[in-house]
Amino acid sequence: MVHYSRHGSVFESLDYSEIDKRGEEVARKIQQKTGEGNDFLGWLDYASKLPEEEIERIVETAKHIRENYEALVVIGIGGSYLGARAVIEAINGFFPDDKFEIIYLGNTLSSTYTYQVLRHLKDKRIAVNVISKSGTTTESAVAFRMVKERLIERFGKEYLKDAIYATTDDTHGALHAEAKKEGYTTFVIPDDIGGRFSVITPVGLLPIACANIDIREFIRGVRAGEKAYSLSDYHKNPAYLYGATRYLLYSQKKFSTEMFISYELQDKMIEEWLKQLFDESEGKDGKALLCASGVFTTDLHSMGQFIQQGSHVLFETIIKEKHPIADHIVPYDEENLDNLNYLAGKRLSYINDQAFQATLKAHTEGHSPANVLEIEKMDPYNLGDLFYFFFRATAFSAYLLGVNPFNQPGVEIYKKNMFKLLGKPGAE
Ligand code: PA5
């Protein structure tokens, strides 16, 4: 379970009486699915309803992919890839002890990145998990077409049948139609779960399983989250208390920015996932906090000055794991030319913890108050629990703000402009 604490004098003057009045009603809106966008609340109990056969099918498919291919190319963007990547990188790190590679494509229109990935894949036997709820997203559709062209050139069209796994809508969209026609294996993104909440569905589960991460443990964590963060009394529900607090920091204290912080470089993608979750859910009608992110101590050497003494715009939300996945000890050096022997024999994680304590004190005594969300470890179980914590916090915070958490009308505007410029048939 996530342990939530608040640090900084600003919290003493936060007035929670508005939440005392509205909190129960907002919690009811979520639980009874009566708020705006309520047809996108399928994530509430998706994990506990997920049949064992579907989990087994994903596990078996991942096993087949790992045994028959050298790499999985995950093609998707936004909610259709961020969650999976966040889990995979947080657990396996940047240099996994695994010959099987997971590579991401279709998350950009960068020609250089796309060219380099395709070059890297040139001589590999790859499988592809193409993920798109709409089935029409330009970035992923273009990348998918390029990968297919390469595979057909090298192995012939027959190869695609076993190598392509499509995760998409059950009945609609171009990807669904193509998968059906070509006979690709498919997985379903439920109608009532939007992209940014879909990491707990096959969208996240298949790539995570292909990275040799235990998805049963991940789902067990999500199910634990379903129990832990459903209480309607926000005093007793840390997800709602955190959601209420970030809303009050925005509405009463006029903070404009929430900065997500981790002390582990490999957790950076969790922050990217969080930026999408909150910014896309709340940033509408001219309202909401802007979510930013940083990894400490790395970014203390770039943004630390601003956070300590710059304009009073941000508060921090720190995700802190009690026990790191791996550790290392600072060696003793006879000559001690670097004067570091005072640290000899100390664990790097101990030094990182002291940096965390020191920074928390400095920033909270300076301009930036902090929420601390502590979890035991970045393992599949705790990550499942953490993600569900954030789902609940987002819904609670967005309804307090008075916006529909589950739509993203603004995202369509750039697409319309782009389609017009590109001459897409039917674009106005
Ligand atoms: O959360 C969202 O709705 C978006 O980030 C989408 O997931 C993203 O745009 C990709 O859409 P699709 O899955 O339809 O390709």
Side-chain angles (χ1 to χ4, degrees), residues 77-80 131-135 137 140 195-196 276 280 408:
I77 192 164
S80 286
I131 309 170
S132 178
K133 186 168 182 179
S134 62
T137 300
S140 38
R196 54 193 177 274
Q276 186 199 358
E280 221 170 63
Q408 53 282 327

Side-chain angles (χ1 to χ4, degrees), residues 6 80 107 144 152 163 171 194 217 267 275 294 334 339 362 369 398 403:
R6 289 158 284 180
S80 286
N107 53 344
F144 186 39
I152 292 169
T171 50
E217 272 300 287
D267 295 350
K275 287 196 275 193
E334 196 70 46
N339 299 316
V403 299

